[in-house]
């Protein structure tokens, strides 16, 4: 199982200090090499837990970056070899660059250290994979030297093992994971769109489906709004790629719907993009634009097994502004505005449920256990953007 952080940081592409053309050539050959063992690495890293597949796949971007750096000045063919002398030269600068990039994007010192821990932990995992699968290139002494250098960096950073942020939450059974990845409505709809897309079709300049195409695909999917929602998530998840006014299947499109590690991974990526989009509509700070932010709070409660009653969402605005004690803040039409918010929330909740990402069958806005990872990843993005405010919005809903 991976020993590094359970969530990929935003920055996993440390700076490179060699000639760009050399890096690009090596990066291509390294990528092909690592891609050749990606399914096996994911199977090794997940240990039979499909919900870890996304994390394992994300780790390989760090592996590719580091192998590119340590091999960039070599004239020998790209291989899995990690020379201890190269480690001495490049490991610490590579780790420090991860912190530099994090801080440049506004991360504080603690967050920058977490990104460094992620890099070291990932390289520890990769080294273990090479050793356990017989792919280590070099002597036993060199393996020990490389491991000791990684251990020293891990110790310098205070260790690399964190408890999972989802620790203690229910875990999906194999059957639940399989059904989520292969037969969820959002997966079936995405496969329908890929079937319609074929090898490629013309799309609008921004990647949107033309009106005539949207009408054509809406029938089997249920509505134009739903088709558009799934299509946009497929673009964000790179299941569809754009090329000169045309859309064509992306690299992971063939895996979507499959009952293997890569199929589970693509389904999770797609589900995350659908939820993230639903939680980021409007402009935060105004009631009219708070649908996404409040929805994120509701999903966060469901994620942590404290779901909101659907009835509470439906009852927004049914009391007078005076009873709600929000008239001074929102104005005399507070109840009407809250009612509009409640209607918008109900619409989003019903749509996510129709896609297989929420469950209100018992009157609570619950997150299906197989969707916990996807919803968690989506909410992490919204939390970083400041859209999840448990203290304010959860209290506001409770009081309402």
């Amino acid at each position: 199982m991976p020993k590094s952080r359970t969530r990929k940081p935003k920055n996993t592409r440390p700076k490179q200090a060699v000639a760009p053309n050399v890096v690009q050539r090596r990066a291509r050959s390294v990528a092909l090499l690592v891609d050749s063992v990606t399914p096996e690495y994911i199977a090794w890293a997940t240990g039979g837990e499909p919900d870890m597949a996304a994390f394992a796949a994300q780790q390989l971007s760090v592996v590719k970056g580091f192998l590119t750096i340590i091999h960039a000045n070599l004239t020998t063919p790209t291989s899995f070899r990690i020379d201890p002398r190269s480690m001495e030269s490049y490991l610490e600068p590579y780790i420090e660059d991860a912190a530099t990039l994090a801080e440049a994007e506004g991360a504080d010192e603690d967050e920058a250290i977490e990104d460094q821990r992620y890099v070291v932990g990932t390289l520890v995992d990769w080294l273990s994979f090479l050793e356990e699968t017989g792919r280590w290139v070099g002597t036993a002494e060199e393996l020990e030297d490389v491991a000791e250098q990684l251990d020293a960096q891990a110790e310098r950073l205070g260790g690399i093992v964190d408890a999972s942020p989802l620790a203690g939450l229910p875990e999906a059974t194999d059957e639940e994971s399989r059904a989520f990845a292969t037969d969820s409505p959002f997966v079936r709809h995405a496969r329908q769109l890929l079937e319609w897309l074929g090898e490629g079709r013309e799309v609008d300049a921004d990647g949107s489906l033309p009106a005539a195409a949207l009408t054509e695909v809406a029938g089997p999917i249920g509505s134009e709004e739903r088709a558009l929602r799934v299509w946009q998530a497929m673009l964000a998840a790179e299941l569809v790629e754009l090329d000169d006014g045309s859309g064509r299947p992306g690299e992971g499109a063939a895996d979507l719907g499959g009952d293997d590690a890569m199929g589970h991974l693509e389904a999770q990526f797609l589900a995350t993009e659908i939820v993230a989009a639903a939680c980021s509509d409007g402009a935060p700070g105004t009631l009219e634009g708070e649908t996404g932010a409040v929805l994120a709070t509701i999903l966060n409660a469901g994620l942590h097994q404290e779901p909101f009653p659907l009835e509470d969402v439906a009852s927004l605005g049914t009391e007078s502004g005076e009873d709600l004690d929000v008239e001074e803040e929102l104005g005399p039409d507070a109840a009407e505005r809250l009612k509009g918010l409640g209607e918008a929330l109900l619409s989003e909740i019903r749509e996510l449920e129709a896609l297989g990402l929420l469950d209100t069958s018992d009157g609570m806005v619950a997150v299906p256990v197989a969707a916990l990872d996807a919803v968690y990843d989506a909410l992490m993005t919204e939390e970083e953007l400041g859209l999840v405010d448990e203290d304010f919005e959860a209290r506001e809903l409770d009081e309402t």
Side-chain angles (χ1 to χ4, degrees):
M1 289 297 294
K3 300 178 180 63
S4 47
R5 296 199 314 151
T6 53
R7 186 173 69 87
K8 174 180 174 289
K10 292 170 63 177
N11 305 293
T12 56
R13 303 180 301 278
K15 294 181 293 185
Q16 298 152 349
V18 292
N21 60 329
V22 175
V23 172
Q24 290 167 3
R25 287 198 299 271
R26 280 292 173 172
R28 286 193 291 270
S29 59
V30 165
L32 289 172
L33 182 68
V34 175
D35 287 346
S36 70
V37 298
T38 291
E40 188 172 348
Y41 178 81
I42 291 174
W44 172 86
T46 58
E49 297 184 26
D51 60 345
M52 290 293 294
F55 174 73
Q58 289 166 346
Q59 287 184 301
L60 295 179
S61 63
V62 171
V63 172
K64 290 176 181 178
F66 187 65
L67 291 181
T68 297
I69 293 299
I70 65 174
H71 290 166
N73 290 323
L74 300 179
T75 57
T76 54
T78 301
S79 71
F80 291 124
R81 177 166 173 72
I82 301 176
D83 187 275
R85 291 169 297 180
S86 296
M87 291 285 284
E88 291 174 1
S89 300
Y90 296 116
L91 179 59
E92 188 163 345
Y94 187 77
I95 295 168
E96 292 303 320
D97 284 343
T100 300
L101 281 178
E103 291 167 353
E105 293 192 7
D108 60 27
E109 183 178 355
D110 289 342
E111 292 169 331
I113 291 175
E114 286 298 293
D115 279 11
Q116 291 180 302
R117 294 173 67 206
Y118 174 84
V119 169
V120 175
T122 292
L123 295 177
V124 169
D125 291 340
W126 178 251
L127 186 65
S128 298
F129 170 73
L130 295 180
E131 180 183 12
E132 293 178 20
T133 61
R135 288 187 171 86
W136 169 254
V137 178
T139 66
E141 290 75 15
E142 289 175 328
L143 175 64
E144 183 178 359
D145 191 345
V146 170
E148 287 178 354
Q149 291 187 54
L150 287 170
D151 288 345
Q153 292 296 329
E155 183 177 354
R156 178 177 68 87
L157 296 168
I160 57 175
V161 179
D162 277 346
S164 168
L166 299 179
L169 297 184
E171 295 187 9
T173 64
D174 290 344
E175 291 74 15
E176 289 170 329
S177 296
R178 183 178 302 111
F180 180 76
T182 64
D183 198 38
S184 290
F186 75 92
V187 173
R188 295 200 307 270
H189 295 331
R191 293 302 310 170
Q192 288 170 317
L193 285 169
L194 287 170
E195 183 178 349
W196 168 85
L197 183 62
E199 295 183 1
R201 289 191 183 230
E202 290 187 7
V203 295
D204 292 342
D206 62 355
S208 298
L209 290 173
L214 194 58
T215 300
E216 180 181 348
V217 299
I221 291 177
S223 69
E224 292 188 5
E225 179 183 351
R226 185 172 301 161
L228 183 59
R229 183 186 297 253
V230 176
W231 175 262
Q232 290 173 336
M234 292 169 68
L235 287 171
E238 299 181 352
L239 291 169
V240 174
E241 296 179 354
L242 302 179
D243 182 17
D244 266 344
S246 295
R248 56 184 176 81
E251 185 176 349
D255 294 312
L256 183 68
D259 185 24
D260 56 16
M262 296 306 293
H264 287 229
L265 174 64
E266 294 299 342
Q268 181 170 328
F269 282 159
L270 179 58
T272 293
E273 294 298 343
I274 292 172
V275 175
C279 292
S280 58
D281 72 307
T286 64
L287 190 61
E288 291 78 5
E290 285 295 319
T291 304
V294 179
L295 177 64
T297 299
I298 293 173
L299 295 184
N300 192 51
L303 178 72
H304 291 93
Q305 309 302 293
E306 298 178 353
F308 277 106
L310 187 63
E311 182 181 19
D312 287 358
V313 180
S315 67
L316 282 172
T318 58
E319 302 291 339
S320 70
E322 183 178 352
D323 291 338
L324 290 171
D325 198 26
V326 293
E327 189 172 89
E328 182 178 346
E329 180 180 353
L330 301 180
D333 60 344
E336 184 177 345
R337 296 175 64 189
L338 284 172
K339 183 179 180 182
L341 173 62
E343 291 172 349
L345 286 169
L346 278 176
S347 176
E348 285 295 326
I349 290 169
R350 293 301 189 195
E351 187 63 24
L352 290 176
E353 184 171 29
L355 291 170
L357 297 170
L358 282 180
D359 179 11
T360 67
S361 59
D362 64 353
M364 310 296 284
V365 186
V367 178
V369 65
L372 288 175
D373 282 316
V375 173
Y376 171 80
D377 287 346
L379 293 184
M380 284 303 95
T381 300
E382 302 313 309
E383 184 176 29
E384 289 166 359
L385 294 174
L387 299 182
V388 179
D389 183 348
E390 294 182 51
D391 291 340
F392 172 72
E393 281 150 357
R395 182 177 67 251
E396 181 181 79
L397 275 178
D398 286 341
E399 290 175 352
T400 302

